Amino acid sequence: MFFVAVGAAFFVGCASLPPGWDEYKSAMKCHFQGKDKECDQDYEKAIEKNDKLQGVHASYGTHLLKRGEVQPAQEQFKKEIENHPVSETSVNLAFKNVKHPDSTVSALRKTSGGK
Amino acid sequence: MSILNKIRITALGAVGCLFLIQCAPTAKINPNFEKMKPKVVVVLPPENTTSNTEVEETAYPILFEKVSNRGYYCISPEMVRAIFNSNRLEDAGRINQLPLKKFKEIFGADAVLRTKITDWSSKYIIISSTVTITLESELMDTKTGEELWSMKNTVSKSPNNSGGGVVGGLVGAVMNAAFTPYEPIMEENANTTLTTIPQGDYGKAK
């Protein structure tokens, strides 16, 4: 019984992630490491494995938009909204903010003591 | 084995079990969680109160992935960071203090996950090393400002030290402390912690 329990716990602990997550996490880490161009490969691999992965198109779109690639970014944002309609508010917000920094600043800052 | 020894072993086992039960971290879940169940969650960047600079880079993607795979739509960290950065809000401590209602109004989020990492360290005592990560988390409702769920959890691990006597052990401990990646320990901590958030309804993990 003991070995069965240990074995079951082991397999639960090792339950693998849905496809694309490893590549998506790798892309997220890539941003922190400042390897801007290399992140594209991870995003593309993640999307190839799982086009419906939540947040992946939004994240890739933000990444492209920061580089000034507006049209490809819009395509990614559109896909995110198609796959996950609940993302619409945040995707539109990201698009507005990255293109026009400080557009939310007054709303956020008024509430943080005007700092 | 004498009867006395058997009694001693049983008593020790019972005390050990009680100790483990006492020390097991428990999550606080709002009794109205099911009624208030969020769909869209903003996972905020972890507040780092330690001196280690790799915390956000390692922890943030893990936190995001765990909550997403609990059945919630989580706004991507890249997007969250871009929005805050473009508004010159880069400090996680300050972001954590933003009024919750703003996350509803601006991001369209039903809940916010705030996390704080208060220990991210390697310690070595004589010939063994221990890596510790302490994670404090709370999921807050953006409409009512109520806490939906919270938990504090510490994971400490001693990487296996190889043989080689005292000197070998000492060298091994120092090497382990220096090169042990924190990521698997953060994974374990986040897994233990965030899987206590009740399962969300946002489809199956995609």
Side-chain angles (χ1 to χ4, degrees), chain A residues 17 24-25 28-29 31 33 50 53-54 58-59 62 66 80 84 87 94 97 102 104-105 109 111, chain B residues 57 64-65 69 72-74 76 78-79 81-83 86-88 94 99 102 106 183 187 202 206:
Chain A
L17 290 171
Y24 185 17
K25 276 165 80 179
M28 286 185 242
K29 281 187 82 174
H31 289 297
Q33 291 160 355
N50 187 354
L53 196 63
Q54 63 157 282
S59 196
T62 309
K66 277 162 66 181
E80 182 72 22
H84 304 280
S87 68
N97 267 261
D102 289 351
T104 320
V105 75
R109 286 182 177 234
T111 56
Chain B
E57 171 188 332
F64 169 74
E65 175 257 300
N69 286 306
Y72 299 95
Y73 180 85
C74 295
S76 84
E78 179 57 13
M79 237 167 64
R81 286 175 74 226
I83 291 166
S86 66
N87 288 288
R88 285 171 279 148
R94 276 187 63 202
K102 287 288 153 193
I106 297 172
E183 200 170 334
E187 280 272 358
Y202 191 74
K206 287 175 183 172

Side-chain angles (χ1 to χ4, degrees), chain A residues 73-90:
Chain A
Q74 269 178 324
E75 282 165 23
Q76 293 298 326
F77 287 147
K78 203 176 147 197
K79 279 182 194 163
E80 182 72 22
I81 296 172
E82 271 170 22
N83 290 340
H84 304 280
V86 290
S87 68
E88 193 168 356
T89 310
S90 56

Side-chain angles (χ1 to χ4, degrees), chain A residues 11-85:
Chain A
F11 283 111
V12 168
C14 294
S16 61
L17 290 171
W21 267 106
D22 287 332
E23 291 77 10
Y24 185 17
K25 276 165 80 179
S26 178
M28 286 185 242
K29 281 187 82 174
C30 185
H31 289 297
F32 286 99
Q33 291 160 355
K35 301 173 191 166
D36 213 34
K37 281 275 180 190
E38 289 171 40
C39 307
D40 292 18
Q41 291 172 355
D42 288 324
Y43 278 122
E44 275 152 24
K45 276 186 209 160
I47 290 167
E48 196 184 308
K49 284 195 175 175
N50 187 354
D51 183 54
K52 302 243 186 308
L53 196 63
Q54 63 157 282
V56 72
H57 290 291
S59 196
Y60 192 22
T62 309
H63 173 63
L64 294 168
L65 194 59
K66 277 162 66 181
R67 262 202 331 242
E69 297 177 32
V70 180
Q71 189 59 35
Q74 269 178 324
E75 282 165 23
Q76 293 298 326
F77 287 147
K78 203 176 147 197
K79 279 182 194 163
E80 182 72 22
I81 296 172
E82 271 170 22
N83 290 340
H84 304 280

Side-chain angles (χ1 to χ4, degrees), chain B residues 22-160:
Chain B
Q22 285 286 315
C23 293
T26 50
K28 277 196 264 173
I29 301 171
N30 189 315
N32 295 319
F33 191 99
E34 283 303 313
K35 281 187 213 156
M36 302 162 83
K37 196 178 256 181
K39 194 173 185 181
V40 180
V41 176
V42 179
V43 178
L44 293 180
E47 185 178 347
N48 175 18
T49 64
T50 75
S51 57
N52 204 310
T53 52
E54 68 176 291
V55 171
E56 189 180 351
E57 171 188 332
T58 309
Y60 201 7
I62 294 172
L63 295 167
F64 169 74
E65 175 257 300
K66 300 290 173 206
V67 184
S68 300
N69 286 306
R70 286 299 291 166
Y72 299 95
Y73 180 85
C74 295
I75 297 169
S76 84
E78 179 57 13
M79 237 167 64
V80 173
R81 286 175 74 226
I83 291 166
F84 285 126
N85 289 353
S86 66
N87 288 288
R88 285 171 279 148
L89 272 166
E90 288 171 18
D91 177 61
R94 276 187 63 202
I95 294 169
N96 277 349
Q97 286 169 11
L98 290 170
L100 293 164
K101 282 185 180 171
K102 287 288 153 193
F103 291 98
K104 180 82 183 164
E105 286 171 30
I106 297 172
F107 287 85
D110 305 313
V112 168
L113 182 80
R114 294 175 181 152
T115 54
K116 196 189 274 189
I117 287 170
T118 55
D119 195 356
W120 185 278
S121 59
S122 310
K123 294 180 183 81
Y124 32 108
I125 303 162
I126 312 182
I127 56 164
S128 72
S129 60
T130 307
V131 178
T132 303
I133 295 178
T134 300
L135 171 67
E136 294 178 26
S137 336
E138 55 182 9
L139 187 67
M140 307 297 292
D141 187 274
T142 54
K143 209 170 166 186
T144 63
E146 277 182 65
E147 185 183 280
L148 293 168
W149 163 96
S150 69
M151 186 167 167
K152 181 179 176 180
N153 186 32
T154 298
V155 171
S156 288
K157 284 261 162 172
S158 295
N160 291 333

